[in-house]
């Protein structure tokens, strides 16, 4: 299989890519093809059982092609391909490339989330209960996924109140008696196994009740709380009775929210998709052990002429490549493209059989219809919100493009310098794509060659380093060049940027975000003149957001460097004492003076310390005596 980092076709922007000639070279093997646009950006990624047949279809008759595909084909400047061993590998690679590059002409799942689970470490002597977003192949029990982190935290808080299971990370029984019980024990929310206040067998009975509770079996707990509430009331302990009543109310609320239907459906996801123009919403109901543990609405970018089968196929492959749990069945509204391939891929990922079901009648069909109706309703609710967001982002960027007369505008980069009297000068680079911040491409620069508060020289260094790395294709965020550079300053900063770009042979437009005497943005400096902007326009608001974000990012980086310079412990100078041991020593001894006065044996008693580390600390403080 060809590695993704080794494209099959050598290419440079100045090369002439002969599409007809390259089509003849395509192999008849499975793989993934990558279409590049006029700026060599990736505009489409697809998979194929036979690369030669599939890719050639794009350049044949336009008959039966959608407008979207026709437009995409007109923009193709070149293509490359990656040969794999099977159609399954092609599907996985296609998903990864789509997520990494977000090609304009692919159906894209906009939401990229990880879902919370409740983890019970049943393999430990004294198991813990906590929230996690990773499902590992260990012996723990996982419950989820849940769609709300807040709901998970509330459930875990309830479990601590009910069953008093620990949440700390202490190693038990090894660490028994090493520290005093924590606050949770004093609040009555932990049985205190760290100090042997509870027998292991009794503790495990509490854990069994936790597992039953998380499986939806609430009857035992409800009856128990009713009895305790009645006993407390009879004893005139009304505060305790109220506490039990509130706990009972929380359980009743949780139980009611999870009931969906009497249909037997112990472990499956129900998916319904609604479409409006080029926007779509997928509504997912997560069913575990016959109860709905949550639901999620996910937005997609589609073509209005795409078939439901292709949209469902794209959604399933993208969504389930990013979630750690796959149920044994997916119920959907229509037959997806590549159904057999999807089932085989899901089965391989889960390790057990997975079926894709299209219910045709009865209660099962009604449940899928309910998911579709929810998706339609969500789409209608979000439609105006999405349009407003489009005006605020893409619309605002389009206004800027028209204002300064660019042919196209997708990526904007903005730069700023921050220092205090020249101390720790730093530069910041923020990136906006389609009017939205792309924080993964933000970069920080520590000024290396400039002494003193010289903002122009510092900016020259930052821009030179950034664009040399871009020309060398050094890192994803640097290899993507901007369509427009916005400098946090006026004429001077713009000239510095233009000089750097000229020296490197780059033709990228540069504008300056000009401020008034009150340090507020008032316009753009571009090509030797200031261009006033309507202060109520979306373009002005976007420019202000970019400027504020650039400034914030630089200031935060500068603050972090100042903080790191100021936070230093004498323990950091001792060989063999890192951050973990330093914190352990301070927890154990409470002060530097106590550490100075401790013997080697006493020092070795702190967590993570061994004889060599203890000897090193002792010698450090006693080397002059």
């Amino acid at each position: 299989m060809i590695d993704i980092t080794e494209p099959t076709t050598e290419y440079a922007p100045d090369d002439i890519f002969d599409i007809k000639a390259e089509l003849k070279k395509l192999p008849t093997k499975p793989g993934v093809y990558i279409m590049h646009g006029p700026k060599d950006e990736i505009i489409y990624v697809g998979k194929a059982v036979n690369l030669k047949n599939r890719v050639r279809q794009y350049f044949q008759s336009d008959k039966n092609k959608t407008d979207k595909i026709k437009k995409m084909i007109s923009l193709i400047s070149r293509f490359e391909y990656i040969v794999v061993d099977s159609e399954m590998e092609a599907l996985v690679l296609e998903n990864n490339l789509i997520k990494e590059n977000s090609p304009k002409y692919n159906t894209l799942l906009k939401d990229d989330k990880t879902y919370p689970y409740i983890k019970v470490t049943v393999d430990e002597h004294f198991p813990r209960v906590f929230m996690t977003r990773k499902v590992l192949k260990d012996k723990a029990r996982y419950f989820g996924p849940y769609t709300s982190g807040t709901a998970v935290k509330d459930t875990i808080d309830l479990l601590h109140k009910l069953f008093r299971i620990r949440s700390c990370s202490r190693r038990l029984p090894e660490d028994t008696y090493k520290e005093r019980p924590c606050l949770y024990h004093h609040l009555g929310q932990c049985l205190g196994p760290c100090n042997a206040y509870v027998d292991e067998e009794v503790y495990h009975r509490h854990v069994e009740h936790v597992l039953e509770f998380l499986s939806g079996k609430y009857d035992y707990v409800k009856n128990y709380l009713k009895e305790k509430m009645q006993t407390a009331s009879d004893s005139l302990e009304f505060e305790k009775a109220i506490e039990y009543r509130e706990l009972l109310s929380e359980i009743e609320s949780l139980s009611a929210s999870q009931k969906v239907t009497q249909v037997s459906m112990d472990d499956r996801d129900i998916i319904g998709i609604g479409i409006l123009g080029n926007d779509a919403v997928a509504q997912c109901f997560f069913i575990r052990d016959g109860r709905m543990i949550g639901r999620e609405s996910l937005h997609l970018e589609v073509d209005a002429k795409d078939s439901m089968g292709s949209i469902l196929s794209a959604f399933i492959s993208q969504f389930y490549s990013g979630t750690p749990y796959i149920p044994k069945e997916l119920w959907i509204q229509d037959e997806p493209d590549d159904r057999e391939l999807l089932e085989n891929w899901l089965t391989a990922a889960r390790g057990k059989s997975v079926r894709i079901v299209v219910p045709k009648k009865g209660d099962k069909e009604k449940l899928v219809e309910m998911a579709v109706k929810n998706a339609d309703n969500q789409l209608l609710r979000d439609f105006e919100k999405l349009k407003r967001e489009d005006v605020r982002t893409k619309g605002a960027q389009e206004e800027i493009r028209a204002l300064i007369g660019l042919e196209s505008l997708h990526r904007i980069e903005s730069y700023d310098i921050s220092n205090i009297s020249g101390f720790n000068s730093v530069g910041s680079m923020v990136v906006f794509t389609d009017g939205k911040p792309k924080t993964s491409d933000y970069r920080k620069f520590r000024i290396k060659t400039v002494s003193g508060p010289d903002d122009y020289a510092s900016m020259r260094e930052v821009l030179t380093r950034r664009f040399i790395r871009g020309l060398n294709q050094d890192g994803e965020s640097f290899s993507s060049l901007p369509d427009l550079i916005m400098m946090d300053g006026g004429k001077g900063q713009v000239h510095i940027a233009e000089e750097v770009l000229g020296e490197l042979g780059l033709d990228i437009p540069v504008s300056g975000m000009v401020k008034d005497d009150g340090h507020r943005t008032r316009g753009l400096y571009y090509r030797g003149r200031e261009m006033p902007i309507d202060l109520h326009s979306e373009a002005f608001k976007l420019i202000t957001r970019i400027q504020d974000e650039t400034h914030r990012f630089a200031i935060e980086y500068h603050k972090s460097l100042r903080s790191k310079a100021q936070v230093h412990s004498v323990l950091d100078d001792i060989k063999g004492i890192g951050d973990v041991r330093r914190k352990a020593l301070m927890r154990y001894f409470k002060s530097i003076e106590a550490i100075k006065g401790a013997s080697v044996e006493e020092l070795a008693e702190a967590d993570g310390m061994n004889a060599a580390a203890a000897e090193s600390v002792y010698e450090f403080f006693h080397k002059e005596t």
Side-chain angles (χ1 to χ4, degrees):
M1 183 173 64
I2 296 176
D3 190 277
I4 187 173
T5 59
E6 299 177 3
T8 59
T9 308
E10 293 295 330
Y11 178 78
D14 294 331
D15 292 344
I16 298 174
F17 189 86
D18 188 338
I19 289 180
K20 288 184 179 181
E22 295 301 328
L23 286 173
K24 295 176 182 178
K25 300 176 186 178
L26 285 163
T28 57
K29 296 180 179 179
V32 171
Y33 54 92
I34 305 162
M35 303 297 193
H36 290 258
K39 292 188 176 181
D40 206 37
E41 74 278 23
I42 294 176
I43 60 175
Y44 188 77
V45 175
K47 65 179 182 302
V49 179
N50 183 317
L51 281 165
K52 192 178 193 72
N53 292 345
R54 184 72 186 94
V55 176
R56 288 176 67 179
Q57 288 176 2
Y58 286 98
F59 301 98
Q60 294 170 352
S61 169
D62 282 345
K63 186 179 179 181
N64 299 325
K65 288 187 174 73
T66 66
D67 292 340
K68 172 184 172 183
I69 294 298
K70 291 177 184 176
K71 176 65 175 175
M72 185 267 288
I73 293 170
S74 71
L75 295 173
I76 295 174
S77 62
R78 72 178 181 104
F79 62 79
E80 58 182 319
Y81 56 88
I82 300 169
V83 176
V84 296
D85 294 330
S86 67
E87 192 179 4
M88 181 85 72
E89 288 183 4
L91 175 65
V92 174
L93 180 55
E94 179 193 39
N95 283 332
N96 291 338
L97 289 173
I98 289 172
K99 284 196 171 187
E100 182 179 349
N101 297 286
S102 299
K104 181 177 181 180
Y105 289 94
N106 281 95
T107 295
L108 296 177
L109 177 62
K110 294 182 180 179
D111 308 79
D112 186 15
K113 300 179 181 178
T114 57
Y115 292 93
Y117 289 75
I118 294 177
K119 181 174 181 177
V120 185
T121 57
V122 293
D123 56 319
E124 296 181 337
H125 286 281
F126 293 94
R128 296 169 291 141
V129 181
F130 55 90
M131 184 176 82
T132 182
R133 292 183 183 271
K134 291 184 179 180
V135 175
L136 306 175
K137 292 184 178 179
D138 54 17
K139 297 179 181 178
R141 289 280 302 276
Y142 293 86
F143 296 86
Y146 298 92
T147 57
S148 167
T150 302
V152 170
K153 291 174 183 176
D154 290 344
T155 300
I156 292 173
D157 286 344
L158 178 60
L159 291 172
H160 288 316
K161 293 174 187 175
L162 290 171
F163 306 111
R164 302 167 67 192
I165 300 299
R166 74 186 184 104
S167 59
C168 68
S169 57
R170 296 179 189 178
R171 293 172 298 173
L172 301 179
E174 297 96 317
D175 290 345
T176 305
Y177 301 118
K178 282 195 174 181
E179 293 185 46
R180 291 178 295 178
C182 66
L183 180 62
Y184 287 105
H185 173 71
H186 295 294
L187 292 173
Q189 295 183 21
C190 178
L191 292 166
C194 59
N195 276 255
Y197 291 149
V198 60
D199 180 75
E200 188 171 343
E201 186 178 340
V202 173
Y203 189 91
H204 272 270
R205 285 204 293 271
H206 283 249
V207 174
E208 288 299 321
H209 292 318
V210 168
L211 297 175
E212 289 178 3
F213 185 90
L214 290 172
S215 298
K217 301 172 184 177
Y218 305 131
D219 290 344
Y220 165 79
V221 179
K222 286 158 70 172
N223 292 334
Y224 169 77
L225 288 174
K226 286 176 182 176
E227 290 176 9
K228 297 289 285 185
M229 182 174 66
Q230 188 61 50
T231 301
S233 180
D234 293 342
S235 304
L236 303 180
E237 297 179 281
F238 298 118
E239 287 187 5
K240 281 189 177 181
I242 291 171
E243 183 180 337
Y244 292 131
R245 186 186 68 190
E246 289 176 348
L247 288 172
L248 189 61
S249 176
E250 286 185 55
I251 295 170
E252 294 283 5
S253 175
L254 184 64
S255 176
S257 68
Q258 290 183 336
K259 292 178 182 175
V260 182
T261 177
Q262 296 303 311
V263 177
S264 175
M265 36 172 213
D266 46 15
D267 185 20
R268 45 188 53 89
D269 289 354
I270 302 172
I271 301 167
I273 291 182
I275 302 172
L276 183 60
N278 293 327
D279 293 313
V281 165
Q283 179 74 59
C284 301
F285 294 142
F286 303 121
I287 312 298
R288 304 293 178 263
D289 296 322
R291 296 171 181 269
M292 186 171 79
I293 64 166
R295 68 177 187 172
E296 186 67 55
S297 296
L298 302 119
H299 291 271
L300 300 97
E301 290 181 358
V302 301
D303 188 291
K305 294 183 180 179
D306 286 345
S307 69
M308 180 56 72
S310 68
I311 293 172
L312 281 164
S313 180
F315 171 75
I316 290 170
S317 60
Q318 291 181 49
F319 178 70
Y320 288 101
S321 67
T323 182
Y325 184 81
I326 299 173
K328 67 181 183 182
E329 286 188 357
L330 307 181
W331 291 2
I332 59 179
Q333 73 215 68
D334 206 344
E335 192 74 21
D337 291 358
D338 303 318
R339 176 178 180 160
E340 185 178 350
L341 175 63
L342 287 172
E343 286 184 331
N344 291 337
W345 170 66
L346 291 166
T347 296
R350 184 173 186 256
K352 295 179 182 178
S353 176
V354 178
R355 292 176 61 232
I356 296 175
V357 179
V358 185
K360 298 297 185 184
K361 60 182 180 179
D363 290 332
K364 294 181 179 180
E365 184 185 27
K366 289 178 181 176
L367 284 167
V368 175
E369 286 178 357
M370 180 175 72
V372 174
K373 287 178 180 177
N374 274 269
D376 288 337
N377 290 335
Q378 184 69 45
L379 193 55
L380 288 172
R381 287 196 299 270
D382 290 348
F383 183 73
E384 287 303 321
K385 179 182 176 183
L386 290 170
K387 291 306 174 188
R388 288 196 301 271
E389 179 66 11
D390 235 27
V391 169
R392 182 175 175 270
T393 54
K394 292 181 181 179
Q397 188 158 292
E398 174 60 20
E399 288 182 22
I400 295 173
R401 184 204 64 76
L403 178 70
I404 59 181
L406 298 180
E407 286 187 12
S408 64
L409 181 56
H410 171 65
R411 179 183 173 102
I412 297 174
E413 290 183 6
S414 179
Y415 297 85
D416 191 19
I417 300 294
S418 176
N419 63 60
I420 297 179
S421 300
F423 174 74
N424 270 351
S425 287
V426 298
S428 69
M429 160 183 151
V430 305
V431 179
F432 276 62
T433 58
D434 294 328
K436 297 179 183 178
K438 188 178 183 183
T439 56
S440 61
D441 280 10
Y442 284 19
R443 289 297 178 265
K444 305 167 183 174
F445 299 85
R446 201 164 182 173
I447 304 303
K448 299 176 180 179
T449 63
V450 180
S451 299
D454 189 337
D455 284 357
Y456 286 169
S458 297
M459 184 61 74
R460 178 182 292 278
E461 178 189 327
V462 167
L463 293 171
T464 302
R465 285 164 57 188
R466 182 264 179 269
F467 287 106
I468 285 178
R469 293 186 68 176
L471 291 171
N472 293 332
Q473 301 288 301
D474 186 2
E476 183 182 346
S477 64
F478 289 123
S479 61
S480 298
L481 297 179
D483 301 305
L484 175 66
I485 296 171
M486 285 189 168
M487 307 300 297
D488 185 36
K491 188 185 302 184
Q493 294 284 24
V494 169
H495 288 333
I496 291 293
E498 289 173 339
E499 286 178 11
V500 171
L501 294 171
E503 290 166 6
L504 296 174
L506 293 171
D507 183 18
I508 300 172
V510 183
S511 66
M513 296 178 284
V514 185
K515 300 173 185 176
D516 60 19
D517 294 338
H519 211 66
R520 294 182 298 268
T521 306
R522 74 179 185 214
L524 282 181
Y525 178 82
Y526 184 64
R527 290 188 174 176
R529 66 189 184 91
E530 185 177 326
M531 309 180 74
I533 303 176
D534 178 1
L535 301 186
H536 302 290
S537 68
E538 293 298 335
F540 176 79
K541 294 174 185 175
L542 177 57
I543 292 167
T544 302
R545 288 198 298 274
I546 292 172
Q547 189 168 40
D548 290 344
E549 180 68 353
T550 310
H551 192 58
R552 177 201 65 79
F553 191 57
I555 292 294
E556 282 191 0
Y557 180 41
H558 194 260
K559 283 181 178 177
S560 72
L561 290 180
R562 294 207 313 271
S563 298
K564 287 177 183 177
Q566 291 166 3
V567 177
H568 183 78
S569 167
V570 66
L571 299 178
D572 293 325
D573 298 326
I574 304 176
K575 183 180 179 180
I577 303 301
D579 190 52
V580 173
R581 282 178 172 161
R582 174 173 57 79
K583 290 178 181 177
L585 286 168
M586 290 303 297
R587 277 199 306 268
Y588 191 84
F589 291 100
K590 309 302 181 187
S591 69
I592 295 293
E593 289 303 316
I595 294 172
K596 285 182 180 179
S599 65
V600 174
E601 292 76 15
E602 290 170 334
L603 290 167
E605 290 178 4
D607 284 346
M609 294 291 288
N610 55 31
E615 188 71 36
S616 182
V617 174
Y618 185 84
E619 288 182 357
F620 180 84
F621 287 115
H622 296 83
K623 57 188 175 185
E624 295 180 0
T625 61

